[in-house]
Amino acid sequence: NKYCCSKDDDLADYYRYFHDPPEFVTVLTEDGEHPFHIGYFRDNYAKVPKFLASSNPMESGKLAIVGGDIFTAVLGRLEQKKQKKSDIYQKMITFVKENKVTLVKKNSVKRKPTCKTLNEVGIEIKLRGDIGYRPVNATNDDLVIALDNATKAEKPNSVKLDELMTYVQFANDEGDYGQGLELGLDLLAYHPSMKTSDESFEKAGRLNRRITCLLSMGYQLAGLPKFAEVIRKHMETRSQVKRLRKIDIK
C-alpha cells in the first residue's frame, strides 16, 4: 500500500468531510474540486453497517443511500460515470457472478429511521417504550431560517436556536436524548446558500461549538461514547480533511 498512517492514529478521523456525521466512515473518495465520497453508515458502531451513502460536501450536507454493499455502491458509481465498458467494471461484474454475490440496491435497504434529519438519512434511536425521543420543536424550513439568522456575520439572531437548545436540555433530563441528536445532526448538515463553498463552510462553521455540545452529550446518553469522541475531534478540525500520507515503496 502506498499510503499509511501512524499506528497511534484513529482511522475514523481520516477522510471525514465537513458534513460527515460520526455514523459515516469514508471508504471511497474522489478528491479534487468536488470531493465526492462514499462511506459505510452504521447507527451503532458495534453493529454491521446497514448501507453505504454518498456525499459531496461542496454542494450540500445531504447523504444519498447508494446501496447495501460495496459492490453495488462501486458499480453504481461507475455506471454514473459511464464506465460500464471499463476493465474494473467488467472484472467486478465477473467476480459478482462467479461468487454469487447478492447485490443490495438502495431501494432494498431495510432501515426505518426514528426521525429524519437535514442530511436526509435520519437516525435510529433505541427507544424504551415512549422514552428516548421527542421531535425537535421546529419544521426543517423554520430550522434553516433560524440557522441562517444565528450564523449571520453581522447582527446574528440566535433567539430561536437558543430556545431549541433549551428544549433539548429539558428532553435530556427526561430521557429523550434523541431530540438533541436530531438537532445536532441537523446543524451538522446545515449548508447555507452562499456565493462560494468557502463562504458556506465559514458560515456553517459558526455552529461548531453548538454541534459539539449537542452531539457529544446526545451520544453519551445514547450509550455511544465513541461517536461522541469522533464528533469532538471532527469539530476541532472541521475545515481540514485528514488524509493518509503517501510513502515511497522501494
Side-chain angles (χ1 to χ4, degrees), residues 58-120:
M58 306 295 281
E59 297 178 356
S60 75
K62 297 177 182 179
L63 295 172
I65 296 176
V66 294
D69 63 277
I70 190 70
F71 292 98
T72 299
V74 175
L75 289 171
R77 183 57 178 169
L78 290 172
E79 289 168 4
Q80 285 181 343
K81 297 173 74 68
K82 299 181 180 180
Q83 296 291 320
K84 278 190 173 184
K85 294 183 179 180
S86 65
D87 186 52
I88 186 172
Y89 186 91
Q90 294 301 322
K91 286 183 177 179
M92 287 186 68
I93 289 295
T94 299
F95 181 89
V96 166
K97 290 180 178 178
E98 290 180 349
N99 292 274
K100 298 180 180 179
V101 176
T102 300
L103 299 179
V104 182
K105 302 294 185 179
K106 61 182 180 181
N107 294 333
S108 299
V109 172
K110 296 180 180 179
R111 176 176 178 267
K112 293 183 178 181
T114 307
C115 62
K116 285 197 172 183
T117 52
L118 289 184
N119 65 26
E120 296 196 347

Short mmCIF file of all heavy atoms in Angstrom, two decimals, residues 58-120:
data_model
loop_
_atom_site.label_atom_id
_atom_site.label_comp_id
_atom_site.label_asym_id
_atom_site.label_seq_id
_atom_site.Cartn_x
_atom_site.Cartn_y
_atom_site.Cartn_z
N MET A 58 -19.25 19.96 -1.05
CA MET A 58 -19.18 21.26 -1.70
C MET A 58 -20.57 21.73 -2.15
O MET A 58 -20.79 22.92 -2.36
CB MET A 58 -18.25 21.20 -2.92
CG MET A 58 -16.87 20.67 -2.61
SD MET A 58 -15.93 21.73 -1.51
CE MET A 58 -15.40 22.99 -2.65
N GLU A 59 -21.49 20.77 -2.28
CA GLU A 59 -22.82 21.10 -2.79
C GLU A 59 -23.88 21.15 -1.70
O GLU A 59 -24.79 21.99 -1.75
CB GLU A 59 -23.23 20.08 -3.85
CG GLU A 59 -22.33 20.09 -5.08
CD GLU A 59 -22.73 19.04 -6.10
OE1 GLU A 59 -23.67 18.26 -5.80
OE2 GLU A 59 -22.12 19.00 -7.19
N SER A 60 -23.80 20.23 -0.73
CA SER A 60 -24.82 20.20 0.32
C SER A 60 -24.36 19.31 1.46
O SER A 60 -23.31 18.67 1.38
CB SER A 60 -26.16 19.67 -0.23
OG SER A 60 -26.09 18.26 -0.42
N GLY A 61 -25.19 19.25 2.52
CA GLY A 61 -24.90 18.37 3.64
C GLY A 61 -25.70 17.08 3.58
O GLY A 61 -25.79 16.35 4.56
N LYS A 62 -26.27 16.80 2.42
CA LYS A 62 -27.12 15.62 2.28
C LYS A 62 -26.31 14.36 2.02
O LYS A 62 -25.25 14.39 1.40
CB LYS A 62 -28.11 15.83 1.13
CG LYS A 62 -29.09 16.98 1.36
CD LYS A 62 -30.00 17.18 0.17
CE LYS A 62 -30.95 18.36 0.38
NZ LYS A 62 -31.83 18.58 -0.79
N LEU A 63 -26.84 13.25 2.51
CA LEU A 63 -26.30 11.93 2.23
C LEU A 63 -27.31 11.17 1.37
O LEU A 63 -28.51 11.24 1.64
CB LEU A 63 -26.04 11.15 3.52
CG LEU A 63 -24.99 11.70 4.48
CD1 LEU A 63 -25.01 10.91 5.79
CD2 LEU A 63 -23.60 11.64 3.86
N ALA A 64 -26.83 10.47 0.37
CA ALA A 64 -27.72 9.70 -0.51
C ALA A 64 -27.37 8.23 -0.40
O ALA A 64 -26.21 7.84 -0.60
CB ALA A 64 -27.57 10.16 -1.95
N ILE A 65 -28.34 7.41 -0.05
CA ILE A 65 -28.10 5.96 0.04
C ILE A 65 -27.79 5.42 -1.35
O ILE A 65 -28.52 5.69 -2.31
CB ILE A 65 -29.33 5.25 0.64
CG1 ILE A 65 -29.56 5.72 2.08
CG2 ILE A 65 -29.14 3.73 0.61
CD1 ILE A 65 -30.80 5.14 2.73
N VAL A 66 -26.69 4.66 -1.47
CA VAL A 66 -26.28 4.15 -2.78
C VAL A 66 -26.33 2.63 -2.84
O VAL A 66 -26.07 2.04 -3.90
CB VAL A 66 -24.87 4.64 -3.15
CG1 VAL A 66 -24.87 6.14 -3.37
CG2 VAL A 66 -23.84 4.25 -2.09
N GLY A 67 -26.65 1.97 -1.73
CA GLY A 67 -26.76 0.52 -1.76
C GLY A 67 -26.44 -0.10 -0.41
O GLY A 67 -26.01 0.58 0.52
N GLY A 68 -26.65 -1.41 -0.34
CA GLY A 68 -26.42 -2.11 0.92
C GLY A 68 -25.11 -2.85 0.97
O GLY A 68 -24.81 -3.51 1.97
N ASP A 69 -24.29 -2.75 -0.09
CA ASP A 69 -23.00 -3.43 -0.11
C ASP A 69 -22.04 -2.65 -1.00
O ASP A 69 -22.45 -1.83 -1.83
CB ASP A 69 -23.15 -4.86 -0.64
CG ASP A 69 -23.66 -4.89 -2.07
OD1 ASP A 69 -24.89 -4.79 -2.26
OD2 ASP A 69 -22.83 -4.97 -2.99
N ILE A 70 -20.75 -2.90 -0.82
CA ILE A 70 -19.72 -2.13 -1.51
C ILE A 70 -19.74 -2.36 -3.02
O ILE A 70 -19.46 -1.46 -3.81
CB ILE A 70 -18.32 -2.47 -0.93
CG1 ILE A 70 -17.26 -1.50 -1.47
CG2 ILE A 70 -17.95 -3.91 -1.21
CD1 ILE A 70 -17.38 -0.11 -0.93
N PHE A 71 -20.13 -3.56 -3.45
CA PHE A 71 -20.17 -3.84 -4.88
C PHE A 71 -21.24 -3.00 -5.57
O PHE A 71 -21.00 -2.41 -6.63
CB PHE A 71 -20.44 -5.33 -5.13
CG PHE A 71 -19.32 -6.23 -4.69
CD1 PHE A 71 -19.35 -6.87 -3.46
CD2 PHE A 71 -18.22 -6.42 -5.51
CE1 PHE A 71 -18.31 -7.68 -3.06
CE2 PHE A 71 -17.17 -7.24 -5.11
CZ PHE A 71 -17.22 -7.87 -3.88
N THR A 72 -22.41 -2.94 -4.97
CA THR A 72 -23.49 -2.13 -5.54
C THR A 72 -23.08 -0.66 -5.60
O THR A 72 -23.35 0.03 -6.59
CB THR A 72 -24.77 -2.27 -4.69
OG1 THR A 72 -25.18 -3.64 -4.69
CG2 THR A 72 -25.89 -1.42 -5.25
N ALA A 73 -22.44 -0.19 -4.54
CA ALA A 73 -22.03 1.21 -4.48
C ALA A 73 -21.02 1.56 -5.58
O ALA A 73 -21.16 2.57 -6.28
CB ALA A 73 -21.44 1.52 -3.11
N VAL A 74 -20.01 0.71 -5.75
CA VAL A 74 -18.97 0.98 -6.74
C VAL A 74 -19.51 0.83 -8.16
O VAL A 74 -19.26 1.67 -9.04
CB VAL A 74 -17.75 0.06 -6.52
CG1 VAL A 74 -16.73 0.25 -7.64
CG2 VAL A 74 -17.11 0.35 -5.17
N LEU A 75 -20.25 -0.23 -8.40
CA LEU A 75 -20.82 -0.44 -9.73
C LEU A 75 -21.75 0.71 -10.11
O LEU A 75 -21.75 1.19 -11.24
CB LEU A 75 -21.58 -1.77 -9.78
CG LEU A 75 -20.71 -3.04 -9.74
CD1 LEU A 75 -21.59 -4.27 -9.58
CD2 LEU A 75 -19.85 -3.15 -11.00
N GLY A 76 -22.53 1.17 -9.14
CA GLY A 76 -23.44 2.28 -9.39
C GLY A 76 -22.69 3.55 -9.74
O GLY A 76 -23.10 4.30 -10.64
N ARG A 77 -21.59 3.79 -9.05
CA ARG A 77 -20.80 4.99 -9.34
C ARG A 77 -20.16 4.90 -10.73
O ARG A 77 -20.13 5.89 -11.48
CB ARG A 77 -19.71 5.16 -8.28
CG ARG A 77 -18.88 6.44 -8.45
CD ARG A 77 -19.74 7.68 -8.45
NE ARG A 77 -18.95 8.90 -8.57
CZ ARG A 77 -19.48 10.10 -8.81
NH1 ARG A 77 -20.78 10.24 -8.97
NH2 ARG A 77 -18.70 11.17 -8.90
N LEU A 78 -19.66 3.73 -11.08
CA LEU A 78 -19.07 3.55 -12.41
C LEU A 78 -20.12 3.74 -13.50
O LEU A 78 -19.83 4.30 -14.56
CB LEU A 78 -18.44 2.16 -12.51
CG LEU A 78 -17.17 1.94 -11.67
CD1 LEU A 78 -16.76 0.48 -11.71
CD2 LEU A 78 -16.03 2.83 -12.18
N GLU A 79 -21.33 3.28 -13.23
CA GLU A 79 -22.40 3.47 -14.20
C GLU A 79 -22.74 4.95 -14.35
O GLU A 79 -23.00 5.43 -15.46
CB GLU A 79 -23.64 2.67 -13.77
CG GLU A 79 -23.46 1.16 -13.90
CD GLU A 79 -24.55 0.38 -13.20
OE1 GLU A 79 -25.50 1.01 -12.67
OE2 GLU A 79 -24.46 -0.87 -13.15
N GLN A 80 -22.74 5.68 -13.24
CA GLN A 80 -22.99 7.12 -13.29
C GLN A 80 -21.95 7.83 -14.15
O GLN A 80 -22.26 8.78 -14.87
CB GLN A 80 -22.97 7.72 -11.88
CG GLN A 80 -24.21 7.43 -11.05
CD GLN A 80 -24.11 8.09 -9.68
OE1 GLN A 80 -23.04 8.49 -9.22
NE2 GLN A 80 -25.25 8.20 -9.01
N LYS A 81 -20.72 7.34 -14.07
CA LYS A 81 -19.62 7.95 -14.82
C LYS A 81 -19.47 7.34 -16.21
O LYS A 81 -18.47 7.56 -16.89
CB LYS A 81 -18.32 7.81 -14.02
CG LYS A 81 -18.35 8.55 -12.69
CD LYS A 81 -17.12 8.27 -11.85
CE LYS A 81 -15.89 8.97 -12.38
NZ LYS A 81 -15.99 10.45 -12.24
N LYS A 82 -20.47 6.52 -16.60
CA LYS A 82 -20.50 5.89 -17.93
C LYS A 82 -19.24 5.06 -18.18
O LYS A 82 -18.58 5.17 -19.22
CB LYS A 82 -20.67 6.95 -19.01
CG LYS A 82 -21.98 7.73 -18.87
CD LYS A 82 -22.15 8.77 -19.96
CE LYS A 82 -23.47 9.52 -19.78
NZ LYS A 82 -23.67 10.56 -20.83
N GLN A 83 -18.93 4.21 -17.18
CA GLN A 83 -17.73 3.38 -17.25
C GLN A 83 -18.07 1.89 -17.33
O GLN A 83 -17.30 1.05 -16.86
CB GLN A 83 -16.86 3.65 -16.03
CG GLN A 83 -16.31 5.06 -15.93
CD GLN A 83 -15.28 5.33 -17.01
OE1 GLN A 83 -14.46 4.49 -17.32
NE2 GLN A 83 -15.35 6.52 -17.60
N LYS A 84 -19.21 1.54 -17.92
CA LYS A 84 -19.60 0.14 -17.99
C LYS A 84 -18.62 -0.72 -18.79
O LYS A 84 -18.50 -1.92 -18.57
CB LYS A 84 -21.00 0.01 -18.60
CG LYS A 84 -22.13 0.25 -17.62
CD LYS A 84 -23.46 -0.13 -18.25
CE LYS A 84 -24.58 -0.07 -17.24
NZ LYS A 84 -25.87 -0.53 -17.82
N LYS A 85 -17.94 -0.10 -19.72
CA LYS A 85 -17.00 -0.85 -20.56
C LYS A 85 -15.59 -0.86 -19.98
O LYS A 85 -14.69 -1.46 -20.57
CB LYS A 85 -16.98 -0.25 -21.97
CG LYS A 85 -18.30 -0.41 -22.71
CD LYS A 85 -18.19 0.14 -24.13
CE LYS A 85 -19.51 -0.04 -24.88
NZ LYS A 85 -19.42 0.50 -26.27
N SER A 86 -15.41 -0.23 -18.84
CA SER A 86 -14.08 -0.17 -18.24
C SER A 86 -13.66 -1.54 -17.72
O SER A 86 -14.49 -2.41 -17.42
CB SER A 86 -14.05 0.84 -17.09
OG SER A 86 -14.89 0.42 -16.04
N ASP A 87 -12.36 -1.73 -17.58
CA ASP A 87 -11.81 -3.00 -17.13
C ASP A 87 -12.28 -3.34 -15.71
O ASP A 87 -12.67 -4.47 -15.43
CB ASP A 87 -10.28 -2.95 -17.18
CG ASP A 87 -9.65 -4.29 -16.85
OD1 ASP A 87 -10.03 -5.29 -17.49
OD2 ASP A 87 -8.78 -4.33 -15.96
N ILE A 88 -12.26 -2.35 -14.82
CA ILE A 88 -12.64 -2.61 -13.44
C ILE A 88 -14.12 -2.98 -13.33
O ILE A 88 -14.50 -3.86 -12.54
CB ILE A 88 -12.32 -1.39 -12.53
CG1 ILE A 88 -12.60 -1.75 -11.07
CG2 ILE A 88 -13.11 -0.16 -12.95
CD1 ILE A 88 -12.15 -0.70 -10.08
N TYR A 89 -14.96 -2.34 -14.14
CA TYR A 89 -16.39 -2.66 -14.10
C TYR A 89 -16.63 -4.09 -14.55
O TYR A 89 -17.36 -4.85 -13.89
CB TYR A 89 -17.17 -1.69 -15.00
CG TYR A 89 -18.67 -1.86 -14.91
CD1 TYR A 89 -19.42 -1.14 -13.99
CD2 TYR A 89 -19.34 -2.76 -15.75
CE1 TYR A 89 -20.80 -1.29 -13.91
CE2 TYR A 89 -20.72 -2.93 -15.67
CZ TYR A 89 -21.44 -2.18 -14.74
OH TYR A 89 -22.81 -2.35 -14.66
N GLN A 90 -15.99 -4.48 -15.63
CA GLN A 90 -16.18 -5.83 -16.17
C GLN A 90 -15.65 -6.89 -15.20
O GLN A 90 -16.26 -7.95 -15.01
CB GLN A 90 -15.49 -5.95 -17.53
CG GLN A 90 -16.11 -5.09 -18.62
CD GLN A 90 -17.57 -5.41 -18.87
OE1 GLN A 90 -17.98 -6.58 -18.82
NE2 GLN A 90 -18.38 -4.39 -19.11
N LYS A 91 -14.52 -6.60 -14.57
CA LYS A 91 -13.95 -7.55 -13.60
C LYS A 91 -14.85 -7.70 -12.38
O LYS A 91 -15.01 -8.81 -11.85
CB LYS A 91 -12.55 -7.10 -13.18
CG LYS A 91 -11.48 -7.32 -14.24
CD LYS A 91 -10.11 -6.91 -13.72
CE LYS A 91 -9.04 -7.22 -14.76
NZ LYS A 91 -7.68 -6.82 -14.30
N MET A 92 -15.44 -6.60 -11.94
CA MET A 92 -16.33 -6.67 -10.79
C MET A 92 -17.59 -7.46 -11.12
O MET A 92 -18.06 -8.27 -10.31
CB MET A 92 -16.70 -5.26 -10.32
CG MET A 92 -15.57 -4.53 -9.61
SD MET A 92 -16.11 -2.94 -8.93
CE MET A 92 -17.23 -3.49 -7.63
N ILE A 93 -18.13 -7.25 -12.30
CA ILE A 93 -19.32 -7.99 -12.72
C ILE A 93 -19.02 -9.49 -12.77
O ILE A 93 -19.82 -10.32 -12.31
CB ILE A 93 -19.82 -7.50 -14.09
CG1 ILE A 93 -20.42 -6.10 -13.97
CG2 ILE A 93 -20.84 -8.47 -14.68
CD1 ILE A 93 -21.69 -6.03 -13.14
N THR A 94 -17.86 -9.83 -13.30
CA THR A 94 -17.45 -11.23 -13.37
C THR A 94 -17.31 -11.83 -11.97
O THR A 94 -17.77 -12.94 -11.70
CB THR A 94 -16.12 -11.37 -14.13
OG1 THR A 94 -16.28 -10.88 -15.45
CG2 THR A 94 -15.68 -12.83 -14.18
N PHE A 95 -16.67 -11.08 -11.08
CA PHE A 95 -16.49 -11.55 -9.70
C PHE A 95 -17.84 -11.77 -9.02
O PHE A 95 -18.04 -12.78 -8.33
CB PHE A 95 -15.67 -10.53 -8.91
CG PHE A 95 -15.39 -10.93 -7.50
CD1 PHE A 95 -14.27 -11.68 -7.17
CD2 PHE A 95 -16.27 -10.58 -6.47
CE1 PHE A 95 -14.02 -12.06 -5.86
CE2 PHE A 95 -16.03 -10.96 -5.16
CZ PHE A 95 -14.90 -11.71 -4.85
N VAL A 96 -18.75 -10.83 -9.20
CA VAL A 96 -20.07 -10.93 -8.58
C VAL A 96 -20.80 -12.18 -9.07
O VAL A 96 -21.40 -12.92 -8.27
CB VAL A 96 -20.91 -9.67 -8.89
CG1 VAL A 96 -22.38 -9.90 -8.57
CG2 VAL A 96 -20.38 -8.48 -8.10
N LYS A 97 -20.73 -12.45 -10.36
CA LYS A 97 -21.41 -13.61 -10.93
C LYS A 97 -20.77 -14.92 -10.48
O LYS A 97 -21.46 -15.86 -10.07
CB LYS A 97 -21.41 -13.52 -12.45
CG LYS A 97 -22.30 -12.41 -13.01
CD LYS A 97 -22.24 -12.38 -14.53
CE LYS A 97 -23.15 -11.30 -15.09
NZ LYS A 97 -23.08 -11.22 -16.58
N GLU A 98 -19.44 -14.97 -10.53
CA GLU A 98 -18.74 -16.22 -10.18
C GLU A 98 -18.88 -16.56 -8.70
O GLU A 98 -18.91 -17.73 -8.32
CB GLU A 98 -17.26 -16.10 -10.55
CG GLU A 98 -17.02 -16.09 -12.06
CD GLU A 98 -15.54 -15.97 -12.39
OE1 GLU A 98 -14.74 -15.69 -11.47
OE2 GLU A 98 -15.18 -16.15 -13.58
N ASN A 99 -18.96 -15.54 -7.86
CA ASN A 99 -19.04 -15.77 -6.41
C ASN A 99 -20.46 -15.62 -5.86
O ASN A 99 -20.66 -15.65 -4.65
CB ASN A 99 -18.10 -14.80 -5.68
CG ASN A 99 -16.64 -15.10 -5.96
OD1 ASN A 99 -16.03 -15.93 -5.29
ND2 ASN A 99 -16.08 -14.41 -6.95
N LYS A 100 -21.40 -15.45 -6.78
CA LYS A 100 -22.82 -15.36 -6.42
C LYS A 100 -23.06 -14.32 -5.32
O LYS A 100 -23.74 -14.57 -4.32
CB LYS A 100 -23.34 -16.72 -5.98
CG LYS A 100 -23.26 -17.79 -7.08
CD LYS A 100 -23.79 -19.13 -6.60
CE LYS A 100 -23.70 -20.17 -7.71
NZ LYS A 100 -24.19 -21.50 -7.27
N VAL A 101 -22.45 -13.15 -5.53
CA VAL A 101 -22.62 -12.05 -4.58
C VAL A 101 -24.01 -11.44 -4.74
O VAL A 101 -24.44 -11.15 -5.86
CB VAL A 101 -21.55 -10.96 -4.81
CG1 VAL A 101 -21.79 -9.78 -3.88
CG2 VAL A 101 -20.16 -11.54 -4.59
N THR A 102 -24.71 -11.26 -3.64
CA THR A 102 -26.03 -10.64 -3.68
C THR A 102 -25.88 -9.13 -3.65
O THR A 102 -25.32 -8.57 -2.71
CB THR A 102 -26.89 -11.09 -2.48
OG1 THR A 102 -27.05 -12.51 -2.51
CG2 THR A 102 -28.26 -10.43 -2.53
N LEU A 103 -26.36 -8.48 -4.69
CA LEU A 103 -26.30 -7.03 -4.76
C LEU A 103 -27.56 -6.44 -4.12
O LEU A 103 -28.67 -6.78 -4.51
CB LEU A 103 -26.19 -6.56 -6.21
CG LEU A 103 -24.94 -7.03 -6.97
CD1 LEU A 103 -24.98 -6.52 -8.41
CD2 LEU A 103 -23.67 -6.57 -6.28
N VAL A 104 -27.35 -5.58 -3.14
CA VAL A 104 -28.48 -4.96 -2.43
C VAL A 104 -28.64 -3.52 -2.93
O VAL A 104 -27.88 -2.63 -2.55
CB VAL A 104 -28.25 -4.96 -0.90
CG1 VAL A 104 -29.46 -4.36 -0.19
CG2 VAL A 104 -27.99 -6.38 -0.41
N LYS A 105 -29.62 -3.32 -3.80
CA LYS A 105 -29.87 -1.99 -4.34
C LYS A 105 -30.38 -1.05 -3.26
O LYS A 105 -30.89 -1.49 -2.22
CB LYS A 105 -30.89 -2.08 -5.48
CG LYS A 105 -30.47 -2.99 -6.63
CD LYS A 105 -29.26 -2.45 -7.37
CE LYS A 105 -28.92 -3.30 -8.58
NZ LYS A 105 -27.75 -2.77 -9.32
N LYS A 106 -30.26 0.25 -3.52
CA LYS A 106 -30.63 1.22 -2.49
C LYS A 106 -32.10 1.12 -2.08
O LYS A 106 -32.44 1.35 -0.92
CB LYS A 106 -30.32 2.64 -2.97
CG LYS A 106 -31.04 3.08 -4.23
CD LYS A 106 -30.62 4.49 -4.63
CE LYS A 106 -31.32 4.95 -5.88
NZ LYS A 106 -30.88 6.32 -6.28
N ASN A 107 -32.95 0.74 -3.03
CA ASN A 107 -34.38 0.61 -2.70
C ASN A 107 -34.67 -0.61 -1.84
O ASN A 107 -35.77 -0.75 -1.30
CB ASN A 107 -35.21 0.54 -3.98
CG ASN A 107 -35.17 1.84 -4.77
OD1 ASN A 107 -34.97 2.91 -4.20
ND2 ASN A 107 -35.33 1.75 -6.08
N SER A 108 -33.68 -1.51 -1.72
CA SER A 108 -33.87 -2.73 -0.93
C SER A 108 -33.26 -2.63 0.46
O SER A 108 -33.33 -3.58 1.24
CB SER A 108 -33.25 -3.92 -1.67
OG SER A 108 -33.89 -4.12 -2.93
N VAL A 109 -32.63 -1.50 0.76
CA VAL A 109 -32.04 -1.31 2.09
C VAL A 109 -33.15 -1.25 3.13
O VAL A 109 -34.07 -0.43 3.02
CB VAL A 109 -31.20 -0.02 2.13
CG1 VAL A 109 -30.75 0.28 3.56
CG2 VAL A 109 -29.99 -0.14 1.21
N LYS A 110 -33.07 -2.13 4.12
CA LYS A 110 -34.11 -2.20 5.15
C LYS A 110 -33.68 -1.42 6.39
O LYS A 110 -32.84 -1.87 7.15
CB LYS A 110 -34.40 -3.66 5.51
CG LYS A 110 -34.97 -4.47 4.34
CD LYS A 110 -35.23 -5.91 4.74
CE LYS A 110 -35.81 -6.70 3.57
NZ LYS A 110 -36.06 -8.12 3.93
N ARG A 111 -34.28 -0.26 6.53
CA ARG A 111 -33.96 0.58 7.68
C ARG A 111 -35.09 1.57 7.89
O ARG A 111 -35.53 2.23 6.95
CB ARG A 111 -32.65 1.33 7.46
CG ARG A 111 -32.27 2.31 8.57
CD ARG A 111 -30.92 2.92 8.28
NE ARG A 111 -30.51 3.90 9.27
CZ ARG A 111 -30.74 5.21 9.16
NH1 ARG A 111 -31.39 5.68 8.10
NH2 ARG A 111 -30.33 6.05 10.09
N LYS A 112 -35.56 1.67 9.11
CA LYS A 112 -36.63 2.61 9.44
C LYS A 112 -36.11 3.59 10.49
O LYS A 112 -36.12 3.30 11.68
CB LYS A 112 -37.86 1.87 9.97
CG LYS A 112 -38.56 1.02 8.92
CD LYS A 112 -39.82 0.37 9.49
CE LYS A 112 -40.54 -0.45 8.43
NZ LYS A 112 -41.78 -1.08 8.96
N PRO A 113 -35.64 4.76 10.04
CA PRO A 113 -35.13 5.74 11.00
C PRO A 113 -36.22 6.25 11.93
O PRO A 113 -37.39 6.35 11.53
CB PRO A 113 -34.59 6.86 10.10
CG PRO A 113 -35.35 6.72 8.83
CD PRO A 113 -35.59 5.25 8.65
N THR A 114 -35.85 6.54 13.15
CA THR A 114 -36.79 7.09 14.12
C THR A 114 -37.25 8.47 13.68
O THR A 114 -38.41 8.86 13.87
CB THR A 114 -36.14 7.19 15.51
OG1 THR A 114 -35.61 5.90 15.86
CG2 THR A 114 -37.15 7.62 16.56
N CYS A 115 -36.32 9.22 13.09
CA CYS A 115 -36.66 10.55 12.60
C CYS A 115 -35.74 10.91 11.44
O CYS A 115 -34.66 10.34 11.30
CB CYS A 115 -36.52 11.59 13.71
SG CYS A 115 -34.84 11.73 14.36
N LYS A 116 -36.18 11.83 10.62
CA LYS A 116 -35.35 12.31 9.53
C LYS A 116 -34.57 13.53 10.00
O LYS A 116 -34.99 14.25 10.90
CB LYS A 116 -36.20 12.67 8.31
CG LYS A 116 -36.70 11.45 7.55
CD LYS A 116 -37.17 11.83 6.16
CE LYS A 116 -37.49 10.58 5.33
NZ LYS A 116 -37.90 10.93 3.95
N THR A 117 -33.44 13.76 9.37
CA THR A 117 -32.62 14.92 9.68
C THR A 117 -32.32 15.66 8.38
O THR A 117 -32.66 15.18 7.30
CB THR A 117 -31.30 14.49 10.34
OG1 THR A 117 -30.67 13.49 9.51
CG2 THR A 117 -31.54 13.89 11.72
N LEU A 118 -31.68 16.80 8.48
CA LEU A 118 -31.38 17.58 7.28
C LEU A 118 -30.45 16.83 6.32
O LEU A 118 -30.40 17.16 5.14
CB LEU A 118 -30.76 18.93 7.66
CG LEU A 118 -31.69 19.96 8.31
CD1 LEU A 118 -30.94 21.27 8.54
CD2 LEU A 118 -32.93 20.21 7.47
N ASN A 119 -29.73 15.82 6.82
CA ASN A 119 -28.88 15.05 5.89
C ASN A 119 -29.69 14.01 5.12
O ASN A 119 -29.17 13.32 4.25
CB ASN A 119 -27.70 14.39 6.61
CG ASN A 119 -28.12 13.34 7.63
OD1 ASN A 119 -29.18 12.73 7.53
ND2 ASN A 119 -27.27 13.11 8.63
N GLU A 120 -30.97 13.88 5.45
CA GLU A 120 -31.97 13.07 4.74
C GLU A 120 -31.92 11.57 5.00
O GLU A 120 -32.80 10.85 4.53
CB GLU A 120 -31.94 13.35 3.23
CG GLU A 120 -32.32 14.79 2.89
CD GLU A 120 -32.66 14.99 1.42
OE1 GLU A 120 -32.37 14.09 0.60
OE2 GLU A 120 -33.21 16.06 1.10
#
